[in-house]
Amino acid sequence: MKAEYQGNEGFYQGNEGFLQRDSVEHKGYAEARSTDCREGKERDGASDLLEAILGRDNLNSAHKRVKRNHGAAGIDGMTAEEALPWLKEHRGEFLQSIRDGSYMPSPVRRKEIPKPDGSVRKLGIPTVVDRVIQQAIAQKLQSIWEPLFSDSSYGYRLKQSAQQAIQKVKKYAEEGYRYAVSVDLSKYFDTLNHELLMTLLHRQIQDMRVLRLIKKYLKSGVMENGVICKTEEGSPQGGPLSPLLANIYLNEFDWEMYRRGGKAGSVRR
């Protein structure tokens, strides 16, 4: 029996897996974690999170999300529509390359977006294939970290918005709070410390293959004017996984602000 999402657009069909083009080359955590364990198998006493990430339904959902977002092509020039036939043809090799650790993400394509103050926001556009895998990782990691995030964190969260953050601040003002401090973390995505981020991830992820895969994405490099530059820090703003990693990185700060300032310690959007 074939398992496809509506429209027969899934590249993961049947029981087979699906080679990067030219590069085969605080409370609900226990419940969320046990769900992930049931989806995978137990290997050396660690939750087999990678198998849940590479699961049929999760990958089909990830591809559908990437296609719906209509993002620009990466350095290989492939669109989501053009990538689908290739992914179907090589799906078994592709999944195996991720499982055995030989999969190497492509460098992201640098794109600069002008800002009102005259500066630019540097985006990193991954290839479609990399965006699918990043999205698949993000979907599973969200179920682990969402219960651990502060209720006062609104940026890049499911069912959270900037409007809700404004309403929360308004509510605090009506309760008698009189001071607010606005903090802008300059070049935040570009300056994440990789080692600190990996330490935070390791606290909740036992499957070392997932940790190694995420680190490969962090270290995949940036192509700018035809030249590939190493990435020693940061997570490219433009990949599906980066917003979640940014929230994981700031989660300790959110809870520390809460401990120091009570319920109105921090509202972050």
Side-chain angles (χ1 to χ4, degrees):
M1 178 180 294
K2 292 184 177 181
E4 306 173 3
Y5 51 72
Q6 188 175 1
N8 294 321
E9 296 175 331
F11 57 80
Y12 196 138
Q13 302 171 343
N15 294 322
E16 296 180 277
F18 70 149
L19 196 8
Q20 167 100 8
R21 185 187 186 187
D22 300 328
S23 184
V24 179
E25 4 169 303
H26 36 250
K27 54 186 176 183
Y29 165 64
E31 180 180 350
R33 181 169 175 262
S34 65
T35 299
D36 280 329
C37 288
R38 288 195 299 270
E39 291 184 30
K41 299 173 290 183
E42 291 294 324
R43 177 177 299 175
D44 298 328
S47 174
D48 201 347
L49 179 60
L50 184 64
E51 292 307 319
I53 291 170
L54 300 181
R56 176 188 60 211
D57 292 341
N58 192 52
L59 285 175
N60 279 343
S61 175
H63 178 265
K64 189 176 183 180
R65 178 72 175 269
V66 169
K67 185 176 180 180
R68 185 169 66 242
N69 287 342
H70 300 292
I75 64 171
D76 61 1
M78 269 203 306
T79 65
E81 291 77 12
E82 293 169 338
L84 184 57
W86 188 92
L87 286 167
K88 286 182 176 180
E89 180 181 355
H90 296 283
R91 57 185 181 268
E93 300 162 80
F94 183 47
L95 281 183
Q96 183 56 34
S97 71
I98 295 176
R99 290 188 175 103
D100 65 25
S102 63
Y103 171 75
M104 297 299 295
S106 295
V108 299
R109 179 172 65 85
R110 174 68 77 209
K111 184 176 182 179
E112 295 185 347
I113 306 297
K115 297 172 67 173
D117 62 3
S119 62
V120 296
R121 174 178 288 108
K122 293 185 177 183
L123 300 183
I125 312 299
T127 64
V128 171
V129 173
D130 282 328
R131 291 209 296 276
V132 170
I133 299 304
Q134 285 194 33
Q135 180 64 37
I137 295 171
Q139 288 169 179
K140 287 303 177 182
L141 264 56
Q142 281 172 342
S143 67
I144 296 174
W145 262 276
E146 273 295 324
L148 305 178
F149 286 147
S150 165
D151 291 338
S152 294
S153 170
Y154 290 88
Y156 307 112
R157 296 278 307 280
L158 295 173
K159 300 180 180 179
Q160 302 278 56
S161 67
Q163 290 73 20
Q164 290 174 312
I166 293 172
Q167 290 301 315
K168 176 68 74 70
V169 173
K170 181 180 179 181
K171 177 176 179 291
Y172 287 153
E174 292 171 348
E175 292 177 356
Y177 292 91
R178 291 291 175 262
Y179 297 96
V181 178
S182 177
V183 179
D184 183 12
L185 301 177
S186 178
K187 299 180 180 179
Y188 175 59
F189 279 84
D190 297 331
T191 56
L192 298 181
N193 182 287
H194 288 173
E195 296 310 313
L196 178 55
L197 176 57
M198 294 307 301
T199 297
L200 294 172
L201 291 170
H202 199 187
R203 291 180 182 178
Q204 310 299 340
I205 297 176
Q206 287 72 49
D207 193 327
M208 295 302 297
R209 296 171 302 166
V210 175
L211 292 172
R212 286 191 289 267
L213 181 58
I214 293 173
K215 191 166 187 176
K216 284 183 179 181
Y217 277 118
L218 294 173
K219 300 291 187 181
S220 63
V222 176
M223 179 173 284
E224 193 167 7
N225 299 321
V227 179
I228 298 176
C229 302
K230 293 181 179 180
T231 44
E232 301 298 339
E233 62 179 1
S235 183
Q237 192 170 359
L241 186 56
S242 292
L244 178 59
L245 296 181
N247 273 337
I248 291 172
Y249 196 87
L250 267 184
N251 193 42
E252 300 290 319
F253 170 83
D254 290 337
W255 283 107
E256 182 61 25
M257 291 296 291
Y258 180 86
R259 286 188 288 268
R260 294 189 182 197
K263 68 177 181 179
S266 174
V267 176
R268 180 169 63 81
R269 68 174 181 87

